[in-house]
């Protein structure tokens, strides 16, 4: 049985601050509220606030500047590249991609996926999980979820790798067309199985890019959760000094 485990408080606070950076509440170059202000605003302990800020600094959203406090850097390079990651998920040829297919099977739909597929909790979906590797090191874990009506009449449930991209395969066999992709980026702690595949030490978070591929009507056809180890992301940013 799969369980949805709520993220720790510091991860949830980091996600809130991240969303405020995304929507412009905390613009790049400005200071985020002080630790005391965040403690009072969210009713969390100082250690929780400090840990959330450290997570955002490590992922490239914030930086410390002596004499200025904690400054917003904006969207880190890893997040700016998320559109490419979403396209890579749909265009990846399992038979040629560096890495391996590690799991295929019916699972209880995760809550974060059920909401976008419009499925009830505990509904069953097909999951194909692919581990991307570079030079023998796991760099990305992609778990793709398909509703039952999209699986019928296909070989998606096969444990064999599929030739060609998933997008081409599904479009050809189900007579559907992928029209657009939306993506949601967040930080969270990996589940035990995810951490094992990515060879992550305990407590190391992942950057999650939830890729939602839809048809022209907005109906989600495929949802993929792309996990990137936070300790292996190379972030680069260039900015002018005023």
């Amino acid at each position: 049985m799969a369980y949805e485990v709520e993220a720790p408080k510091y991860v949830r606070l980091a996600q809130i601050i991240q969303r405020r950076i995304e929507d412009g509440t905390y613009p790049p170059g400005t200071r985020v509220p002080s630790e005391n202000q965040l403690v009072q605003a969210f009713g969390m302990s100082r250690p929780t606030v400090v840990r959330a800020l450290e997570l955002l600094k490590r992922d490239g959203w914030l930086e410390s500047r002596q004499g200025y406090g904690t400054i917003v850097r904006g969207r880190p390079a890893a997040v700016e590249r998320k559109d490419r990651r979403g396209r890579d998920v749909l265009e990846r040829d399992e038979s040629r991609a560096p890495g391996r297919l590690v799991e295929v099977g019916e699972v209880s739909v995760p809550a974060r996926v059920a909401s976008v597929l419009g499925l009830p909790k505990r509904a069953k979906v097909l999951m194909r999980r692919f581990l991307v590797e570079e030079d023998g090191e796991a760099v990305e874990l992609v778990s793709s979820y398909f509703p039952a009506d999209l699986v019928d009449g296909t070989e998606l449930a096969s444990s064999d790798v599929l030739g060609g991209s998933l997008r081409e395969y599904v479009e050809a066999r189900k007579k559907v067309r992928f029209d657009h992709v939306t993506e949601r980026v967040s930080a969270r702690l990996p589940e035990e199985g995810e951490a094992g595949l990515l060879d992550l030490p305990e407590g190391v978070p992942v950057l999650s890019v939830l890729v939602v591929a839809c048809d022209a009507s907005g109906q989600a056809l495929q949802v993929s959760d792309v996990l990137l180890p936070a300790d292996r992301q190379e972030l680069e940013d260039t900015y002018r000094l005023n």
Side-chain angles (χ1 to χ4, degrees):
M1 180 180 295
Y3 295 91
E4 284 295 317
V5 180
E6 187 175 41
K9 286 184 179 180
Y10 81 93
V11 173
R12 300 203 303 272
L13 177 57
Q15 291 171 339
I16 292 172
I17 297 173
Q18 174 189 307
R19 286 195 293 270
R20 293 188 178 186
I21 295 172
E22 294 262 45
D23 67 19
T25 302
Y26 302 150
T30 63
R31 286 186 294 182
V32 296
S34 67
E35 291 176 9
N36 284 338
Q37 289 172 323
L38 291 172
V39 167
Q40 294 175 3
F42 295 100
M44 296 184 180
S45 68
R46 184 177 298 276
T48 296
V49 169
V50 170
R51 199 170 180 187
L53 294 176
E54 288 302 319
L55 175 59
L56 290 166
K57 291 174 188 176
R58 180 165 60 182
D59 286 350
W61 294 89
L62 304 175
E63 67 174 327
S64 294
R65 292 186 191 173
Q66 188 172 3
Y68 288 91
T70 301
I71 305 297
V72 176
R73 292 186 64 188
R75 294 162 61 84
V79 178
E80 291 294 347
R81 291 194 298 268
K82 68 183 178 64
D83 289 339
R84 177 181 62 78
R85 296 192 184 281
R87 182 176 293 276
D88 284 350
V89 168
L90 295 179
E91 303 298 338
R92 178 173 290 119
D93 183 338
E94 294 176 344
S95 65
R96 296 177 178 271
R100 53 196 171 93
L101 189 65
V102 294
E103 185 179 354
V104 179
E106 191 177 73
V107 299
S108 295
V109 60
R112 59 186 177 276
V113 176
S115 61
V116 292
L117 285 177
L119 296 174
K121 293 180 179 179
R122 300 179 183 176
K124 296 295 184 180
V125 293
L126 178 75
M127 180 184 72
R128 292 183 70 87
R129 178 168 280 175
F130 193 88
L131 184 66
V132 182
E133 298 173 313
E134 293 181 1
D135 299 323
E137 180 182 47
V139 296
E140 188 174 308
L141 181 63
V142 183
S143 301
S144 296
Y145 301 90
F146 303 88
D149 59 349
L150 203 69
V151 176
D152 293 341
T154 74
E155 296 297 320
L156 287 172
S158 170
S159 58
D160 296 329
V161 295
L162 299 175
S165 72
L166 284 175
R167 174 184 178 179
E168 292 172 341
Y169 183 88
V170 172
E171 286 185 337
R173 285 156 180 79
K174 298 301 294 185
K175 307 304 180 186
V176 296
R177 181 167 295 279
F178 290 87
D179 179 75
H180 61 276
V181 170
T182 60
E183 298 173 358
R184 305 174 184 179
V185 182
S186 61
R188 67 176 175 87
L189 288 178
E191 298 172 1
E192 184 177 352
E194 296 168 340
L197 288 168
L198 289 169
D199 194 24
L200 288 176
E202 184 178 356
V204 173
V206 290
L207 188 67
S208 169
V209 183
L210 196 67
V211 179
V212 184
C214 304
D215 63 16
S217 71
Q219 174 63 46
L221 302 174
Q222 171 185 335
V223 178
S224 298
D225 193 7
V226 183
L227 298 187
L228 309 169
D231 63 344
R232 297 171 207 163
Q233 298 308 302
E234 182 177 343
L235 305 177
E236 181 177 340
D237 191 18
T238 301
Y239 56 89
R240 295 184 179 277
L241 298 174
N242 295 324

